[in-house]
Amino acid sequence: MKEMDEKEIMDLNIDDFRDLTLQETQEDNFRRMFQMLGLIFKNQQEIKELLVGQSSLT
């Protein structure tokens, strides 16, 4: 897929879009699931660091 510049993006209209196939929908959902898992893991690491930091202060 080629990169689009800002003008091309701004010139898009509804006819430039299509419904995703079942496989594309599944791949998109799979990608989103892994992004969410990554964010959850990152948040858990940050919470752990905060708790460790607080326990070392006391």
Side-chain angles (χ1 to χ4, degrees), residues 21-53:
T21 64
L22 179 60
Q23 181 176 349
E24 289 171 327
T25 302
Q26 289 173 338
E27 289 171 358
D28 192 50
N29 289 341
F30 196 70
R31 178 186 54 81
R32 289 177 194 218
M33 179 184 69
F34 273 98
Q35 286 178 330
M36 285 188 278
L37 288 172
L39 288 173
I40 291 168
F41 179 76
K42 181 181 173 188
N43 287 341
Q44 287 177 331
Q45 294 300 107
E46 290 174 358
I47 291 169
K48 180 180 175 184
E49 290 171 10
L50 288 171
L51 291 174
V52 168

